[in-house]
Amino acid sequence: MERVISSEAPATTTTGLISVIVPTYKEVDNLRPLVERIAATMTAEGRHYEIVVVDDNSRDGTEGVMAELAAAGFPARLVTRVNQRGLSSAVIEGFRQARGEILVCMDADLSHPPEALGQLIVPVETAGADFVIGSRYVRGGGTEEGWGLFRWLNSKVATLMARPFTSARDPMAGFFALPRAVFERADSLSPIGYKIGLELIVKCRCRNVREVPIHFANRKFGQSKLSLREQINYIKHLKRLADYKYGWFSHLAQFCLVGVTGALVDLGTYKLLIVKLLAPLERALLATFPTGSFLADHAAGEALTLVAGLAIWVAMTWNFFLNRRLTFSHSRGGNALRQYWQFVVACSLGALVNLGIRVSLPAIIPFFNHYKLLAGAVGIVAGTVFNFALSHHWVFRRQETRE
Ligand code: GDD
Ligand code: MN
């Protein structure tokens, strides 16, 4: 059971209330200035607000500071989670505990200027925005000096990879506002990794996404918790979002991607086997049988077939594991041996379809007689689609798998 320490019970929505959710992990030094700056802005703008800090049991004095702030009259409360860690799930917990009509999320480390809160909230209040991002990458926004090339590049690449899901310039941002009603239409949230904003844009089916420029400041106290692990999680997250948004088409794209890597593995193995196995084998054969004899010629041909077959088999096995682990990751729990032989059958039938089309197209349609390579390409596409259909509906079908 999760221990949630909360001064007030989570409850119903309060009209006109703004909830500012702040996920924290070891941010004790930032809490006081953060709460004071949020309070200053909100009070100056005459807004009714609450601050919900969701801390993952930092044990750094957070509880004490939060108690002092509450005693000093700030409408701030602390939710402490003990059995769970993670930025995204903390934000979701905060949203669930919040009572505001408008939900805002921001970092504790003062990277996100509390003074920009009003600009984030206004489009939700008056322009019917589904989601408003405090954005670094729209005109007027930016990041503080001192971002190394690596962090900058990292952020750019990650943003580009989110393109298929949103046209927002800064969908990675952890500074955003949305109406509670939009949050409530969220579909099966999978809070993996850091990109809770992106997850919400996709799963809450946000259409009217706005961006307001902010200046992203460097943190003053403590350390960033963004690690390599989070980057790997991001890739997993993107896959899940793609499966969610594009369904079988996403699976097909991954299947083709795996296929391309398989082709490379095939050629690499082929090359290796030719050098390491075929050449010595041929030399041995030639030494054993007289040159030009029936046996010498045929044995060499058989050896090539063997090597080619081996390369194909290695690539097929490679494809099998990747598809099982990635493309159809829902089948990871299924019987691998059963799936393996079925995959081999699916690949073989796919190859037959490929071969059949390649040979019959030129025979049936004169046009392809002149363009045999084109017929080959049609064969490849048809074989792949056939193989995919079998993999999807038979080899890695959803039933009888657990996850
Ligand atoms: N509860 C909880 N649990 N909070 C966490 C956890 C966790 O496991 N990990 C991090 N946080 C809190 C931090 O305490 C901070 O308030 C906020 O989440 C952001 O964490 P940072 O460690 O400061 O992340 P960052 O500065 O590298 O990343 C920020 O910028 C990215 C874009 O450059 C975040 O805003 C990201 O969401 C954003 O993608
Ligand atoms: Mn930060």
Side-chain angles (χ1 to χ4, degrees):
M1 257 301 279
E2 186 177 315
R3 181 173 64 112
V4 174
I5 305 165
S6 149
S7 48
E8 289 143 286
T12 44
T13 320
T14 307
T15 319
L17 184 72
I18 315 278
S19 295
V20 181
I21 281 67
V22 185
T24 61
Y25 188 68
K26 300 203 189 296
E27 300 285 3
V28 68
D29 293 331
N30 292 316
L31 290 174
R32 191 178 292 277
L34 176 80
V35 167
E36 284 171 357
R37 278 171 66 182
I38 296 176
T41 326
M42 297 305 245
T43 313
E45 296 189 15
R47 289 180 192 282
H48 186 33
Y49 72 100
E50 64 168 356
I51 300 172
V52 182
V53 170
V54 186
D55 185 72
D56 287 355
N57 208 18
S58 301
R59 298 175 180 280
D60 61 348
T62 292
E63 298 194 359
V65 173
M66 286 305 293
E68 283 169 30
L69 288 166
F74 292 104
R77 62 200 160 101
L78 175 68
V79 174
T80 304
R81 305 192 308 164
V82 285
N83 288 333
Q84 227 183 337
R85 263 278 332 250
L87 172 53
S88 292
S89 60
V91 173
I92 292 170
E93 179 63 38
F95 281 178
R96 292 205 174 117
Q97 302 259 340
R99 288 164 304 170
E101 262 183 333
I102 296 178
L103 307 172
V104 185
C105 172
M106 71 189 295
D107 291 354
D109 61 359
L110 303 169
S111 287
H112 300 146
E115 294 69 33
L117 278 169
Q119 286 154 266
L120 249 72
I121 296 164
V122 167
V124 176
E125 284 175 332
T126 59
D130 282 341
F131 200 90
V132 184
I133 301 171
S135 174
R136 294 162 292 178
Y137 302 135
V138 289
R139 186 192 291 273
T143 51
E144 200 169 306
E145 297 291 302
W147 267 41
L149 180 69
F150 181 71
R151 186 165 185 195
W152 181 84
L153 202 72
N154 206 10
S155 174
K156 282 290 172 195
V157 170
T159 304
L160 264 178
M161 286 165 76
R163 244 19 245 293
F165 307 106
T166 169
S167 53
R169 299 267 134 217
D170 193 3
M172 303 295 127
F175 193 22
F176 54 83
L178 72 165
R180 177 187 209 92
V182 169
F183 172 66
E184 279 170 358
R185 66 179 191 230
D187 219 16
S188 62
L189 289 172
S190 69
I192 178 178
Y194 254 49
K195 314 302 173 192
I196 180 63
L198 180 63
E199 171 83 6
L200 290 170
I201 291 176
V202 176
K203 300 279 179 77
C204 299
R205 299 175 299 281
C206 295
R207 281 162 188 274
N208 189 356
V209 178
R210 304 281 178 102
E211 284 179 271
V212 298
I214 61 136
H215 186 76
F216 188 96
N218 290 335
R219 65 157 61 234
K220 300 198 173 47
F221 306 105
Q223 297 180 337
S224 166
K225 284 94 199 171
L226 218 164
S227 56
L228 179 70
R229 191 199 166 85
E230 291 304 340
Q231 325 241 346
I232 295 168
N233 275 340
Y234 179 51
I235 310 276
K236 286 191 193 160
H237 189 193
L238 285 181
K239 179 206 151 46
R240 287 194 196 175
L241 288 178
D243 290 350
Y244 172 80
K245 188 161 180 185
Y246 298 107
W248 68 268
F249 189 76
S250 161
H251 286 130
L252 177 61
Q254 292 169 67
F255 189 80
C256 290
L257 211 67
V258 168
V260 170
T261 68
L264 295 177
V265 166
D266 181 335
L267 292 177
T269 314
Y270 195 40
K271 167 90 185 163
L272 198 78
L273 288 176
I274 286 176
V275 176
K276 295 278 180 217
L277 193 71
L278 189 64
L281 207 68
E282 273 178 353
R283 255 178 273 127
L285 287 169
L286 286 177
T288 319
F289 307 108
T291 321
S293 74
F294 177 83
L295 263 178
D297 289 354
H298 281 262
E302 299 300 326
L304 185 68
T305 311
L306 175 78
V307 164
L310 268 179
I312 292 175
W313 174 71
V314 168
M316 199 160 61
T317 307
W318 165 275
N319 284 1
F320 170 75
F321 281 112
L322 279 192
N323 279 323
R324 184 167 187 268
R325 184 92 187 83
L326 304 173
T327 318
F328 305 105
S329 52
H330 54 84
S331 298
R332 269 174 317 198
N335 181 333
L337 219 62
R338 195 261 306 152
Q339 290 169 343
Y340 184 66
W341 76 254
Q342 288 184 341
F343 187 72
V344 172
V345 171
C347 290
S348 311
L349 291 178
L352 277 182
V353 168
N354 181 351
L355 185 78
I357 286 182
R358 209 176 277 211
V359 174
S360 58
L361 267 187
I364 304 168
I365 306 167
F367 167 82
F368 283 105
N369 236 330
H370 302 290
Y371 296 100
K372 293 205 176 62
L373 268 186
L374 201 62
V378 175
I380 290 177
V381 171
T384 305
V385 169
F386 189 82
N387 188 348
F388 172 73
L390 280 183
S391 298
H392 192 284
H393 294 293
W394 182 49
V395 186
F396 300 112
R397 62 187 180 276
R398 270 178 197 275
Q399 67 216 24
E400 79 167 277
T401 55
R402 49 201 140 87
E403 204 189 10

